[in-house]
Amino acid sequence: MVQGAEAKMKGSSTPESVKVVVRCRPMNEQETAHGYTRVVDMDVDRGVVELRNVKAPETDPRKTFTFDAVYDWNSKQLELYDETFRPLVDSVLCGFNGTIFAYGQTGTGKTYTMEGIRDDPDQRGVIPNSFEHIFDHIALSSNQQYLIRASYLEIYQEEIRDLLGKDQKKRLELKERPDTGVYVRDLQQFVCKSVNEIQHVMTVGNQNRAVGATNMNLHSSRSHAIFIITIECSEIDDKGKNHIRVGKLNLVDLAGSERQSKTGTVGERLKEATKINLSLSALGNVISALVDGKSTHIPYRDSKLTRLLQDSLGGNSKTIMVANIGPASYNYDETITTLRYANRAKNIQNKPKVNEDPKDAILKEYQQELARLKAQLSQKGVKKKKKKKATDEGEEEEEEEDEDADSEALLQQERELELEKDRIVNDQHMIEEQEKERYLTEIKHKEAEVVAAKDAQEKLLNRIKTMESKLLCGGKNIIDHTNEQQRALHQRKQEILEQKKREREMLQLLEKEEESSCEIASTFSSLQAEVEAKTRKLKKLFAKLQSVKQEMADLHEEFCRDRVDLQHTQNVLTRELKLKALIIENFISPEEKRKILSRAYFDEDEDVWKVRPVVRQTSGGTLKRPVSSASRRPTSEYAKMQASVDHNPRYKGENIMVVELDPAVRTTRDWEGPVVAPRVSAALEAALRPLDEDLNIDASLATLNHSQAVKSTRKTKGKFKSGLRPPTQLPDSSMYPKSRGLVPK
Ligand code: ADP
Ligand code: MG
């Protein structure tokens, strides 16, 4: 950066507007193949974009917008960088905060503008170009120390993901501190020492971004990616005081601005559609509120994006918005919306200032830690050799000398110990083996000590080296002469660009003047001339009136569309709310409802309602375990005496009560078998008697009883079975008992 300009920037803390540039990409092959016409015209010199509506009649006036700069389809990445972005990055190097937004419909070149094609130097976007720029600047600097850190995050559906984090599933939270503002908690920051390193950081982040997404195009069009570079610079002023300046550069590739269709979507899908553009619509609302001038409340808190980039819109930051548009006719609606959005953003006023000596500068911590380590190292050196000069210039060489001397001393000690060992081993006079052993172990101890000291020293040196390598200084390897030339070249380039910018501003001013009333005041040579001039003027103003009317109608139409959309969302949300209210009314008791309500609170940080955990009421005293009384119960002499001889616990004097077991009242009876009639039991007995038992049949009728009759029957049967003839003379039927069904016939 040019020293003069740097000085100029430092002083500035005056408000400045957000810079808005428009970039139109070329027609792509498909568009040409389908025969779409180009509806965008750009006047690069005047910074004007003209838009033609193919659906409207030819006579309709074109829509024109004026911006800080416009870049047409022939624009080169480097041209854009040098003219628009370089001054901003230079400011960041001086300690300002800076933000670059890429806004626009998907497929219009946001990612191309921010990242571009990294392997092709001509097609590299702002981010890689800024890497080169920053590290070149450091190389050309003198008497300055830099610390560069990079982070990379993504906001998708209102969730923040650290693209450099180890755990890609983790979601980060936004936090706020009164002194430093809003920040992302636990966001990884990598110290980068070269262009290669910071490029690697970006590659890793991009890979992580793609890993989570099934359809990368869809994902990137619905999420916001923010690459953050923090530049800390320390410089010693004329009075020898160290100053630290910290600049933060946010490079934002926003989600596609196209309208997400909400009609027809319900439930989760609706929530998703609402969330996708929540950050973008919140961004739009913030811009509107800032520009309107009447709003006292700026709705930064409505989305993660606007909270995180609060400073970039109306705060302490220099901001550039690149509005990307497509040239083809079918993009007309989206293009005009983008241009209107960008046109509004032009009016935001920021108040950028240099962030000097902030409390949270890491560079200061690094410098302090380095000083401490060096002191530690030199202290060790001092123990061995007392040499130290007080001159300031010689300090660095002095330290190196010290370090050398230190290692030299350690080596010398090691050598001496080796010699001593040899001497003891070879000493023939030392007859006592034990003594020899003792000497040798002593030497071993000493050797170990020396090795440990060497180790510690090496570690310290390495640590100092790594820390020092992170702090970047310029002018080491480059010849000063070349530096001078490069600086001069940069200055020239910058001057030319400034000139160009001023020219454009003049042209824009001229146009405005033309429209104003100056012309009316001029005198006319004849009446005819006056009529002609005034007719011309009238025509011009009439055209203007027409275009304003047209614009009003267009805006009205757009608002109507928005309203329908919002109404639809509102209807769906109301329905959901009613359903939930219904469930609560009917299924949750009023008591429970009241309890939950009393525990509910709104978490400002996370923007959600939460329920406090249940806490036990302590006012009534917590329930305590019952405790025994402190004193033992009074014990009689007798009990004491018994306790000494009897082990029965009743004499132990504790709270033990020995009681006899109380026999319970009996509620059962012993089992008694069923009472069987004697006849039945006899029959059973007979039936169960083994068959081979001999039976004597008493033929006398008188003595014949029922049981015998059974027996005889059985006997007879058995005989039949064995093939014997049955008794020919069957007794009278009355002599035989009748079967009662217990015995088979
Ligand atoms: P977005 O990020 O807005 O969705 P991209 O950056 O992915 O859009 O661009 C879409 C396509 O258009 C890419 O293939 C890109 O190379 C091409 N493109 C965009 N802008 C330009 C440009 N200015 N010049 C050449 N090609 C471009
Ligand atoms: Mg993209």
Side-chain angles (χ1 to χ4, degrees):
M1 177 71 220
V2 198
Q3 301 299 326
E6 208 168 302
K8 196 173 74 190
M9 277 178 168
K10 259 189 228 175
S12 113
S13 63
T14 47
E16 61 165 53
S17 1
V18 167
K19 224 173 149 190
V20 180
V21 302
V22 173
R23 185 181 201 187
C24 184
R25 71 158 164 75
M27 284 270 212
N28 62 31
E29 281 165 18
Q30 270 176 326
E31 286 165 349
T32 329
H34 282 88
Y36 286 112
T37 47
R38 180 163 59 77
V39 293
V40 177
D41 277 313
M42 288 182 139
D43 188 337
V44 180
D45 290 335
R46 285 160 53 224
V48 171
V49 189
E50 276 188 358
L51 211 58
R52 198 156 36 87
N53 189 359
V54 280
K55 286 182 211 144
E58 262 306 299
T59 48
D60 263 19
R62 293 177 170 201
K63 301 228 178 299
T64 50
F65 296 88
T66 311
F67 293 99
D68 291 293
V70 297
Y71 295 92
D72 64 9
W73 32 96
N74 298 318
S75 62
K76 298 272 162 296
Q77 297 273 48
L78 262 179
E79 187 187 322
L80 214 79
Y81 190 79
D82 283 338
E83 267 182 44
T84 303
F85 305 124
R86 187 177 282 278
L88 181 101
V89 178
D90 274 331
S91 308
V92 176
L93 283 161
C94 292
F96 284 101
N97 291 338
T99 302
I100 300 172
F101 285 112
Y103 181 90
Q105 188 190 354
T106 299
T108 50
K110 294 185 298 295
T111 309
Y112 183 80
T113 304
M114 296 313 290
E115 262 186 76
I117 301 161
R118 274 200 280 159
D119 302 329
D120 181 352
D122 286 336
Q123 296 208 62
R124 277 204 290 246
V126 191
I127 303 179
N129 279 331
S130 72
F131 296 164
E132 296 268 346
H133 178 182
I134 290 166
F135 285 97
D136 278 355
H137 173 95
I138 294 170
L140 293 178
S141 69
S142 51
N143 303 326
Q144 286 172 336
Q145 240 180 359
Y146 285 91
L147 182 74
I148 310 289
R149 283 171 292 150
S151 334
Y152 201 3
L153 63 92
E154 179 188 73
I155 304 177
Y156 179 59
Q157 286 196 23
E158 288 305 292
E159 284 185 335
I160 302 176
R161 179 156 73 117
D162 185 353
L163 294 174
L164 306 176
K166 282 197 190 92
D167 180 8
Q168 283 298 308
K169 292 210 172 67
K170 201 173 154 197
R171 298 290 170 260
L172 304 186
E173 281 172 32
L174 281 182
K175 290 273 160 201
E176 198 162 355
R177 260 199 313 244
D179 50 344
T180 51
V182 180
Y183 67 99
V184 184
R185 193 165 74 177
D186 298 336
L187 182 70
Q188 293 274 349
Q189 289 197 326
F190 284 90
V191 173
C192 300
K193 303 191 285 284
S194 63
V195 174
N196 280 346
E197 278 188 24
I198 198 164
Q199 267 175 352
H200 179 67
V201 166
M202 182 161 195
T203 312
V204 170
N206 280 347
Q207 278 165 358
N208 280 338
R209 196 175 178 209
V211 164
T214 39
N215 178 349
M216 191 52 202
N217 276 342
L218 196 69
H219 179 81
S220 75
S221 74
R222 292 172 163 198
S223 61
H224 314 279
I226 309 179
F227 195 89
I228 304 164
I229 309 175
T230 314
I231 304 172
E232 294 191 4
C233 167
S234 97
E235 194 173 5
I236 294 174
D237 67 7
D238 311 334
K239 292 174 197 129
K241 200 165 176 289
N242 192 10
H243 287 287
I244 292 180
R245 281 175 274 136
V246 181
K248 200 162 146 196
L249 179 61
N250 297 306
L251 300 155
V252 193
D253 186 352
L254 291 172
S257 62
E258 58 276 8
R259 177 184 290 269
Q260 299 283 336
S261 163
K262 278 180 221 155
T263 10
T265 43
V266 281
E268 283 302 308
R269 291 281 315 281
L270 175 85
K271 265 188 218 156
E272 194 185 334
T274 319
K275 267 187 180 173
I276 286 168
N277 260 11
L278 181 74
S279 281
L280 270 189
S281 48
L283 188 68
N285 294 342
V286 165
I287 293 174
S288 302
L290 283 169
V291 172
D292 144 28
K294 281 176 263 167
S295 308
T296 46
H297 170 70
I298 313 292
Y300 291 116
R301 295 192 76 91
D302 283 3
S303 80
K304 298 258 156 78
L305 182 79
T306 46
R307 261 191 95 187
L308 190 59
L309 298 174
Q310 184 166 341
D311 254 349
S312 313
L313 300 157
N316 168 24
S317 174
K318 287 174 176 259
T319 303
I320 296 176
M321 178 181 276
V322 191
N324 289 94
I325 55 172
S329 50
Y330 71 99
N331 286 141
Y332 178 83
D333 284 339
E334 285 298 341
T335 302
I336 198 137
T337 315
T338 303
L339 290 176
R340 283 199 186 113
Y341 195 97
N343 207 30
R344 255 183 303 161
K346 273 191 323 196
N347 302 319
I348 300 175
Q349 292 286 315
N350 281 344
K351 300 173 279 293
K353 66 173 198 333
V354 175
N355 305 308
E356 209 147 357
D357 294 318
K359 276 186 216 129
D360 56 344
I362 308 273
L363 187 59
K364 197 180 254 169
E365 278 175 33
Y366 261 71
Q367 283 173 339
Q368 281 165 355
E369 176 71 5
L370 258 176
R372 197 183 61 79
L373 288 176
K374 280 185 176 167
Q376 212 175 325
L377 195 71
S378 62
Q379 244 179 14
K380 282 194 178 171
V382 165
K383 268 188 212 158
K384 309 264 168 8
K385 287 191 175 186
K386 287 186 285 170
K387 69 175 217 178
K388 189 90 188 161
K389 276 183 256 161
T391 48
D392 260 10
E393 304 97 272
E395 207 170 303
E396 230 168 69
E397 293 143 41
E398 183 65 26
E399 266 169 20
E400 265 165 33
E401 253 173 52
D402 252 8
E403 284 157 18
D404 285 350
D406 211 10
S407 0
E408 194 58 41
L410 281 173
L411 275 179
Q412 182 67 28
Q413 229 176 329
E414 216 175 4
R415 256 180 262 136
E416 277 168 16
L417 282 172
E418 199 63 36
L419 281 176
E420 179 86 4
K421 203 161 91 181
D422 279 351
R423 198 176 56 74
I424 293 171
V425 172
N426 301 327
D427 196 348
Q428 303 297 330
H429 305 295
M430 211 180 272
I431 306 147
E432 282 264 4
E433 268 302 312
Q434 266 183 347
E435 203 173 341
K436 221 172 184 175
E437 225 23 41
R438 193 166 53 82
Y439 275 124
L440 278 174
T441 37
E442 220 169 81
I443 283 175
K444 252 187 203 153
H445 277 306
K446 275 187 189 161
E447 265 178 348
E449 263 171 39
V450 171
V451 168
K454 247 169 102 176
D455 242 28
Q457 194 194 27
E458 228 160 74
K459 268 187 199 152
L460 211 60
L461 272 172
N462 278 343
R463 192 136 172 241
I464 289 177
K465 261 185 205 148
T466 42
M467 283 194 86
E468 266 180 345
S469 74
K470 283 180 185 174
L471 300 183
L472 310 173
C473 304
K476 269 186 182 163
N477 312 317
I478 302 158
I479 310 154
D480 269 353
H481 179 62
T482 335
N483 277 2
E484 278 305 318
Q485 275 188 337
Q486 290 242 17
R487 261 192 226 126
L489 202 71
H490 273 309
Q491 194 171 359
R492 271 293 141 76
K493 242 182 170 174
Q494 215 63 47
E495 273 169 18
I496 293 170
L497 292 174
E498 278 281 316
Q499 192 70 32
K500 223 171 145 184
K501 200 174 125 204
R502 239 174 287 145
E503 239 171 75
R504 193 165 45 228
E505 280 171 4
M506 292 282 275
L507 267 172
Q508 287 177 1
L509 206 72
L510 209 69
E511 235 158 73
K512 262 194 185 160
E513 295 253 314
E514 239 177 53
E515 280 168 15
S516 71
S517 58
C518 324
E519 219 174 295
I520 295 172
S522 56
T523 49
F524 300 99
S525 52
S526 69
L527 210 64
Q528 180 71 19
E530 192 179 342
V531 168
E532 263 172 32
K534 289 205 167 155
T535 318
R536 235 185 300 129
K537 181 87 193 161
L538 187 70
K539 265 188 188 162
K540 225 179 192 176
L541 287 178
F542 188 71
K544 189 130 193 166
L545 179 73
Q546 290 302 322
S547 78
V548 170
K549 270 187 179 165
Q550 180 68 37
E551 185 73 13
M552 265 165 67
D554 281 358
L555 280 177
H556 183 71
E557 209 176 283
E558 205 182 308
F559 285 148
C560 283
R561 246 184 301 155
D562 275 351
R563 206 172 67 185
V564 170
D565 237 24
L566 286 173
Q567 262 172 356
H568 171 74
T569 313
Q570 197 193 14
N571 284 347
V572 177
L573 291 177
T574 316
R575 214 163 54 205
E576 231 168 83
L577 187 72
K578 274 187 183 161
L579 174 72
K580 293 206 166 134
L582 191 88
I583 294 173
I584 292 171
E585 287 305 320
N586 290 287
F587 297 97
I588 294 176
S589 70
E591 178 66 8
E592 279 302 312
K593 194 174 124 189
R594 196 186 50 75
K595 276 188 198 160
I596 294 174
L597 271 178
S598 68
R599 276 165 55 207
Y601 71 101
F602 189 72
D603 187 330
E604 294 261 335
D605 281 335
E606 288 180 44
D607 248 7
V608 283
W609 280 92
K610 286 188 172 171
V611 178
R612 279 194 201 89
V614 187
V615 278
R616 200 183 281 278
Q617 290 285 325
T618 48
S619 57
T622 45
L623 286 177
K624 276 187 194 159
R625 271 175 75 89
V627 287
S628 60
S629 75
S631 62
R632 290 184 166 192
R633 64 181 170 162
T635 319
S636 65
E637 283 303 313
Y638 171 74
K640 279 181 198 161
M641 191 191 73
Q642 282 293 319
S644 58
V645 291
D646 194 346
H647 294 297
N648 191 329
R650 69 186 296 183
Y651 300 118
K652 292 283 186 234
E654 296 293 346
N655 285 343
I656 296 170
M657 191 160 60
V658 180
V659 286
E660 285 299 315
L661 284 177
D662 230 359
V665 179
R666 189 164 181 186
T667 53
T668 54
R669 261 192 308 146
D670 286 337
W671 187 77
E672 288 162 12
V675 184
V676 185
R679 278 172 68 189
V680 179
S681 72
L684 270 174
E685 208 175 289
L688 296 171
R689 188 172 297 158
L691 282 176
D692 47 2
E693 203 178 287
D694 268 339
L695 279 184
N696 298 314
I697 301 174
D698 186 352
S700 77
L701 283 174
T703 54
L704 193 76
N705 62 23
H706 288 289
S707 61
Q708 276 163 340
V710 174
K711 278 177 206 163
S712 66
T713 321
R714 194 174 274 172
K715 187 84 183 179
T716 329
K717 268 199 168 173
K719 287 215 170 141
F720 278 139
K721 266 186 194 163
S722 57
L724 289 174
R725 280 185 65 196
T728 43
Q729 230 185 359
L730 280 173
D732 191 300
S733 66
S734 63
M735 285 165 63
Y736 289 93
K738 277 186 186 142
S739 145
R740 283 177 293 120
L742 278 172
V743 187
K745 270 186 186 173

